[in-house]
Amino acid sequence: MYNDAWAQIPAERHPWAMGRPGAEVWTDIWDVIRPQLARVLETGEGFSTYDQMLPMVRGGARRETYWNYSFTPIHGEDGSIAGVFNQGHEITDRVLGERRHRFLLDLSDRLRSLADPRTVIETAQEALGRHLGANRVGYGEVEETARYFTTDRNWTDGSVPSREGTHDLAGFGPDVLAALHAGIPLLVSNVACDPRTSAPESLAAFDAIDTRAVITASLVKEGRMRAALYVHAREPRPWLEHDAELVTEVAERTWAAVERARSEAALRERESRLRQLNDTLEHRIEAALAERNLLATIVETTDALVQVIDHEYRWLAINKACSDGYQRIYGKRPEIGGSLLELLSDRPEQQAAAKALWSRALAGEAFTQVSEFGDRELDSRFYEMRFEVLRAPDGSQIGAFLTGRDVTERVAEQRRLAEAQAARRQADALYRAYFENAPEALFVVGVEPDGGFVVEEVNPAHEASVGFKIEDIRGKRIEDILLPSVAERVLEAYRYVVETGTIYQYREIFDLAGGPQHWDTSLVPVRDADGRIVRLMGSSRNVTRQVTAEEALRQSQKMESMGQLTGGVAHDFNNLLTPIVGALDMLQSRGIGGEREQRLIAAAAQSAERAKTLVQRLLAFARRQPLQMTAVDVGKVVRGMTDLVASTTGPQVRVVVEVAEDLPPAKADPNQLEMALLNLAVNARDAMPSGGMLRITASAETIQAGAGGMLQAGRYICLSVADTGVGMDEVTLARAVEPFFSTKGIGKGAGLGLSMVHGLASQLGGTLSIKSKVGLGTNVELWLPKSADVPEAMGPTREVPHARARGTALLVDDEEFVRLSTADMLADLGYDVLEAATAEEGLALVQNGVEIAVLVTDHLMPGMTGSDLARAVQTLRPGVPILVISGYAESEGIEPDLPRLTKPFRKDELVVSLESLRNGNSS
């Protein structure tokens, strides 16, 4: 899309341009704007340029245009660049006008110093021809009939012959002759296509002078054509009105300079004659009169402003150019004897300004002044004025005179230059402020002629992050600053940018501050006026924290996925173990079989208990184990297990325990904490086959906000188990907490110790960190959140008595064998067991009026969950005891006030849970 103002830019390509690719619409300027657009799309940063030349095709011809414009990226909802916003302003007229003005100023300066009319003409012809890139330029005069044009000599660029001599203007056609007689500039871009010149006889005349395009400015003076200045091109050329105006202006200035040179030559000739006739008074008088008349002519015909004022501010003399100037800016013409003050009486401010200047000159001061005068409703101009004192022959002052020139264009040019310089200084200041204060490391590298790279500038952020001060590295080659291995990688990137000339973005890793650092770097080539890459501008951003965080996130996601997998396996395994444990427990309790069979049953039960422990470790890793979180005195737990740890590790290992005084309690499960500490001690012992030292420490630590890592801000208890064993390499350390990963060999460990501790720490809201070096040992830290509660005193375990149960037990479980073994246990306890395979089926029995003494239900089942069933039964039969059994053993989805029993379980564990229900204890 684009607005109506922008539609003027594509001109005849509008509205065809809408919806078409930029490369198709702007084929004429695509090689200029394509890299600029690409830079915006690649960097996401805006781009702006001033006084940019774009060779656009307009009216079927390529034309030189100039622009100020910018490209700004438009970001979509996802943050990517969805488009580019272009804002532009054409300044072609201004640029060409400034160029024309500079050309005319230079031409006037050159012509002013020339005294020979022929030299004046030759200088003007050559200057105009080279400025316009023409093939031939000629200036000449026209005789009284205004038909025959004579040029003594014309300028050519060498591609066409010179055409001196007299030419019949009528041969170029009546329309051409009429325009020239009327003083109308003739502008023809193609003589074969212009109706004024396309007649066969006209074309023949232009063919005779090898011309296909022409601009001719005729000078009409005193009612007739007096001279003309023509510009020829041998091929059709799309002239602009600017070109015709310029040719006319040069013609006028050439005419004035030629007339001035002729007047001056005549004056010199007259002076020579006066010297010859000086013998007689008559001759001297005639010479004096002639000189005076000549001087008067020069004063009257010059374009300089000349006026003389007496002490009463009345005009003693004023030339035509000056009178025309007053008419232009005030709408009035002064007269000899008239008063300057009266002329400006209706403009008090202008009167006061003029009087202030003239009063200085009338006081005897000679000075030069540039001031603005005029009525802004008519015209206001700037004049450069030289004031001089006018004296009588006896030396007395009779007034003052002024010679001046209209310098409005020069003042405007100076202002534009000053504004441009101020804008450039401001831009430089902005760029410098950004360079000095940008948080990214910015640098500039020069490209040497031999292909080397030298540091030119770095910003403070670069000094702080990399460590090199600019005063230490400025002017030095890269290989003289960096280590050879680092320098070679850097130089490879620099050479790539110089060879391809493209912006290069890449990530690099350097060891600059005692450890590997990751840097995202962008390199931009900078070219000189010849297109050669002379320096590289670069920016680097330290993304080490980002890379570390991404790696930590990937590791966390990996562990989470493994946890979900192992948790699901443990759940299914629990459902498989439940009927096995139940059946073996029943066989043992009933004493079925002989002594040999009882030994086999006992061995099977022991294996089942080991499998149950293995499942608990899997659940711990998956963070789905049942935890009784309470305030735990970690120091007391560590000191209480010292003897057990020492006996477990053996006499070759020296056990050192260090517990901080006044250690606050931690939030943990005391039984699981003891198991975790024992697992860590056993791992440490196995890592020291030849003995060593095992150090167990417990301390209170505080994590500050913004410290990073896996822990939130707060207070923690850090339990550390460190050994002096063989240690682990980076590969082993990365896999240390994976379930079933072990370095102890076949049969020497299940590979679940560290994974269980890791899961426990995560489930409690803490973390597990491991540091290890090969040959130095390993330090495992278990971080537990501080508890605000006071640890409870541990009392003796109380036997739970069991009375024979009565009534109906409703058993709900979707696993048939689990339901079978559990039903058998309930029957042994004295219940009449009513079984249901789904929660919906069990709820229907209650809704149909079945009286039950207790509800035992699985939690995760197809359809309604056990927790949902429990709530429904509590609504229908308030007060009925409810026990939820689960193979996952996680609390998610189970109301905290519902009693739970974890699969697999023995008959005595079921008894304890049921007795707790009878006593009103829900845990």
Side-chain angles (χ1 to χ4, degrees):
M1 61 175 290
Y2 50 78
N3 65 357
D4 293 340
W6 196 91
Q8 299 175 10
I9 298 175
E12 63 266 19
R13 285 173 269 204
H14 167 74
W16 169 85
M18 183 70 72
R20 296 187 179 273
E24 183 180 348
V25 176
W26 297 115
T27 55
D28 44 353
I29 62 172
W30 190 242
D31 59 335
V32 178
I33 65 174
R34 181 190 61 78
Q36 299 168 349
L37 285 169
R39 173 182 173 185
V40 174
L41 295 176
E42 292 172 2
T43 66
E45 298 177 351
F47 170 85
S48 62
T49 183
Y50 301 93
D51 296 350
Q52 175 69 57
M53 198 283 283
L54 297 178
M56 288 188 175
V57 175
R58 289 182 170 177
R62 182 178 294 268
R63 301 183 185 274
E64 186 174 297
T65 65
Y66 293 86
W67 301 85
N68 292 343
Y69 61 89
S70 64
F71 295 125
T72 304
I74 301 175
H75 296 273
E77 294 181 353
D78 60 351
S80 64
I81 296 178
V84 176
F85 176 71
N86 169 231
Q87 184 176 5
H89 174 64
E90 183 172 5
I91 58 172
T92 303
D93 289 342
R94 176 177 67 79
V95 172
L96 295 181
E98 292 172 354
R99 183 186 299 173
R100 169 191 167 189
H101 178 67
R102 288 192 296 270
F103 169 76
L104 291 174
L105 286 177
D106 177 69
L107 179 62
S108 295
D109 290 339
R110 294 172 62 186
L111 297 182
R112 189 177 296 113
S113 62
L114 301 178
D116 177 37
R118 183 184 181 94
T119 306
V120 169
I121 295 173
E122 292 175 352
T123 301
Q125 290 176 163
E126 180 177 358
L128 181 61
R130 294 190 183 278
H131 181 74
L132 293 179
N135 300 118
R136 181 190 299 114
V137 177
Y139 175 90
E141 296 180 347
V142 181
E143 44 73 49
E144 292 182 356
T145 65
R147 174 174 176 177
Y148 296 99
F149 172 80
T150 301
T151 174
D152 294 333
R153 185 177 182 182
N154 50 47
W155 175 88
T156 73
D157 65 350
S159 63
V160 295
S162 179
R163 295 293 179 181
E164 296 92 355
T166 300
H167 303 275
D168 186 357
L169 298 178
F172 297 100
D175 292 337
V176 172
L177 185 61
L180 295 178
H181 284 173
I184 300 174
L186 179 68
L187 187 150
V188 179
S189 296
N190 189 339
V191 296
C193 299
D194 195 303
R196 296 172 297 177
T197 58
S198 59
E201 57 275 12
S202 297
L203 287 178
F206 283 107
D207 287 339
I209 58 173
D210 304 298
T211 299
R212 285 292 176 271
V214 62
I215 298 178
T216 301
S218 64
L219 299 178
V220 176
K221 304 292 183 180
E222 299 177 354
R224 72 174 181 86
M225 180 181 175
R226 302 293 297 274
L229 175 65
Y230 63 80
V231 179
H232 289 172
R234 64 183 304 180
E235 298 294 338
R237 176 168 173 175
W239 303 109
L240 300 175
E241 290 297 330
H242 288 290
D243 300 328
E245 294 171 1
L246 179 62
V247 174
T248 301
E249 184 66 24
V250 172
E252 290 286 354
R253 297 192 180 207
T254 304
W255 166 270
V258 168
E259 292 302 306
R260 173 191 55 78
R262 286 174 176 172
S263 297
E264 292 174 351
L267 178 58
R268 290 191 297 271
E269 178 65 22
R270 188 63 179 171
E271 289 175 347
S272 176
R273 291 177 56 195
L274 286 175
R275 283 193 296 270
Q276 296 175 4
L277 299 176
N278 220 11
D279 295 336
T280 64
L281 177 60
E282 182 180 358
H283 290 166
R284 288 196 297 271
I285 293 174
E286 290 177 358
L289 291 174
E291 179 180 1
R292 183 170 298 177
N293 291 335
L294 185 57
L295 288 174
T297 302
I298 293 174
V299 171
E300 188 65 19
T301 59
T302 182
D303 57 356
L305 311 178
V306 180
Q307 55 182 313
V308 183
I309 294 288
D310 65 11
H311 287 286
E312 301 298 326
Y313 298 96
R314 294 184 178 278
W315 280 287
L316 298 177
I318 184 168
N319 72 342
K320 181 178 182 299
C322 192
S323 296
D324 292 343
Y326 275 98
Q327 180 70 41
R328 177 178 184 179
I329 64 176
Y330 294 127
K332 304 176 182 179
R333 296 186 71 84
E335 297 179 357
I336 302 299
S339 172
L340 171 66
L341 301 183
E342 292 177 3
L343 183 75
L344 300 179
S345 60
D346 57 343
R347 297 175 176 85
E349 293 182 0
Q350 297 282 305
Q351 183 191 66
K355 183 177 181 181
L357 291 174
W358 279 106
S359 62
R360 292 170 58 188
L362 293 172
E365 181 182 357
F367 62 94
T368 300
Q369 177 79 25
V370 176
S371 297
E372 182 181 15
F373 285 98
D375 188 335
R376 294 188 181 276
E377 294 183 359
L378 297 174
D379 196 1
S380 181
R381 311 293 293 177
F382 282 89
Y383 298 97
E384 182 180 63
M385 300 166 288
R386 177 64 185 175
F387 290 88
E388 299 280 356
V389 176
L390 179 63
R391 299 185 183 277
D394 61 0
S396 61
Q397 182 177 350
I398 60 175
F401 68 93
L402 172 154
T403 55
R405 289 190 176 275
D406 186 334
V407 293
T408 305
E409 296 299 329
R410 190 182 75 187
V411 171
E413 177 67 18
Q414 291 172 346
R415 285 181 175 177
R416 287 192 291 269
L417 290 176
E419 291 172 358
Q421 291 171 353
R424 178 163 298 177
R425 286 193 297 269
Q426 182 180 10
D428 290 343
L430 289 174
Y431 293 149
R432 173 52 61 179
Y434 170 76
F435 188 82
E436 294 294 336
N437 298 288
E440 294 186 344
L442 305 179
F443 56 92
V444 181
V445 176
V447 181
E448 295 292 282
D450 62 356
F453 298 92
V454 175
V455 175
E456 293 184 355
E457 193 70 62
V458 299
N459 70 339
H462 190 286
E463 291 182 345
S465 57
V466 179
F468 294 126
K469 296 294 184 182
I470 182 58
E471 56 267 20
D472 297 331
I473 61 176
R474 180 181 281 125
K476 292 185 178 180
R477 288 178 173 260
I478 299 300
E479 57 267 30
D480 296 333
I481 301 172
L482 302 176
L483 295 174
S485 58
V486 178
E488 184 54 36
R489 283 189 289 156
V490 172
L491 292 174
E492 183 180 356
Y494 290 177
R495 295 189 190 103
Y496 174 80
V497 175
V498 173
E499 292 172 0
T500 62
T502 60
I503 297 175
Y504 184 34
Q505 296 177 323
Y506 59 98
R507 176 166 292 178
E508 52 191 349
I509 303 175
F510 294 123
D511 191 348
L512 296 176
Q517 294 185 9
H518 299 259
W519 292 83
D520 279 352
T521 299
S522 298
L523 297 176
V524 179
V526 179
R527 302 177 184 272
D528 61 9
D530 298 328
R532 188 176 67 88
I533 297 176
V534 294
R535 57 177 53 86
L536 305 178
M537 295 184 65
S539 64
S540 293
R541 183 165 60 94
N542 193 331
V543 294
T544 304
R545 286 189 176 183
Q546 174 185 335
V547 172
T548 303
E550 291 172 352
E551 182 60 31
L553 176 61
R554 284 193 291 270
Q555 183 67 16
S556 174
Q557 292 172 338
K558 172 183 176 183
M559 299 307 297
E560 180 67 22
S561 299
M562 297 180 67
Q564 292 176 355
L565 174 62
T566 54
V569 172
H571 169 263
D572 294 341
F573 202 44
N574 269 338
N575 281 331
L576 296 174
L577 279 176
T578 298
I580 296 174
V581 171
L584 292 173
D585 185 52
M586 180 193 70
L587 293 176
Q588 281 185 313
S589 63
R590 296 180 180 179
I592 296 176
E595 179 181 355
R596 182 173 182 278
E597 285 79 4
Q598 281 294 314
R599 286 201 306 271
L600 292 175
I601 292 172
Q606 185 177 3
S607 297
E609 285 297 322
R610 290 176 62 187
K612 179 179 178 181
T613 301
L614 179 63
V615 172
Q616 291 299 319
R617 289 185 174 180
L618 287 172
L619 288 172
F621 170 74
R623 290 176 284 173
R624 293 177 175 173
Q625 63 177 333
L627 296 179
Q628 295 180 356
M629 288 187 286
T630 183
V632 177
D633 186 341
V634 177
K636 185 176 180 180
V637 171
V638 172
R639 286 189 289 267
M641 292 188 63
T642 301
D643 293 339
L644 176 60
V645 170
S647 63
T648 302
T649 55
Q652 288 185 301
V653 177
R654 178 190 173 195
V655 178
V656 178
V657 176
E658 298 176 353
V659 178
E661 297 295 333
D662 300 326
L663 190 68
K667 183 172 68 174
D669 182 322
N671 295 327
Q672 296 292 342
L673 180 59
E674 289 178 353
M675 181 182 295
L677 181 57
L678 187 59
N679 277 330
L680 294 177
V682 170
N683 283 346
R685 178 202 65 190
D686 294 342
M688 298 183 288
S690 301
M693 182 173 67
L694 172 63
R695 184 182 299 275
I696 304 175
T697 60
S699 60
E701 305 291 343
T702 300
I703 300 299
Q704 301 294 337
M710 304 299 293
L711 292 174
Q712 296 182 352
R715 298 192 64 192
Y716 293 85
I717 308 303
C718 178
L719 178 60
S720 170
V721 178
D723 64 64
T724 58
V726 296
M728 293 181 283
D729 57 23
E730 292 183 1
V731 176
T732 305
L733 183 61
R735 301 186 59 193
V737 298
E738 293 183 8
F740 305 111
F741 178 76
S742 175
T743 60
K744 300 177 182 180
I746 298 177
K748 295 183 180 181
L752 288 172
L754 281 177
S755 61
M756 182 273 288
V757 179
H758 174 268
L760 172 66
S762 301
Q763 197 170 359
L764 292 172
T767 190
L768 181 72
S769 67
I770 307 175
K771 299 177 182 177
S772 185
K773 290 288 185 181
V774 176
L776 296 179
T778 301
N779 181 24
V780 182
E781 293 181 346
L782 176 60
W783 292 72
L784 303 173
K786 174 184 173 296
S787 175
D789 301 328
V790 178
E792 297 180 359
M794 300 295 293
T797 303
R798 179 173 60 87
E799 284 284 338
V800 180
H802 170 62
R804 185 76 178 171
R806 295 182 179 180
T808 299
L810 176 57
L811 173 63
V812 182
D813 199 307
D814 60 325
E815 292 286 342
E816 179 181 0
F817 293 111
V818 174
R819 197 168 62 247
L820 177 64
S821 63
T822 307
D824 188 73
M825 293 181 187
L826 291 171
D828 282 351
L829 295 178
Y831 289 103
D832 296 326
V833 182
L834 188 61
E835 300 181 27
T838 65
E840 290 83 357
E841 182 181 342
L843 180 60
L845 293 174
V846 176
Q847 290 173 336
N848 291 333
V850 175
E851 296 293 334
I852 59 174
V854 65
L855 169 63
V856 179
T857 177
D858 188 16
H859 174 52
L860 291 179
M861 297 178 289
M864 180 183 286
T865 66
S867 181
D868 295 336
L869 174 62
R871 290 296 175 226
V873 171
Q874 285 177 337
T875 301
L876 295 173
R877 305 288 174 83
V880 171
I882 299 175
L883 178 64
V884 178
I885 58 177
S886 175
Y888 256 135
E890 81 283 7
S891 59
E892 183 179 357
I894 303 177
E895 298 296 335
D897 59 339
L898 289 177
R900 290 188 305 145
L901 178 61
T902 304
K903 298 177 184 179
F905 52 84
R906 298 188 304 276
K907 177 181 175 182
D908 58 340
E909 294 173 328
L910 179 61
V911 169
V912 171
S913 296
L914 293 176
E915 289 298 329
S916 297
L917 292 179
R918 291 180 180 179
N919 296 332
N921 185 3
S922 64
S923 61

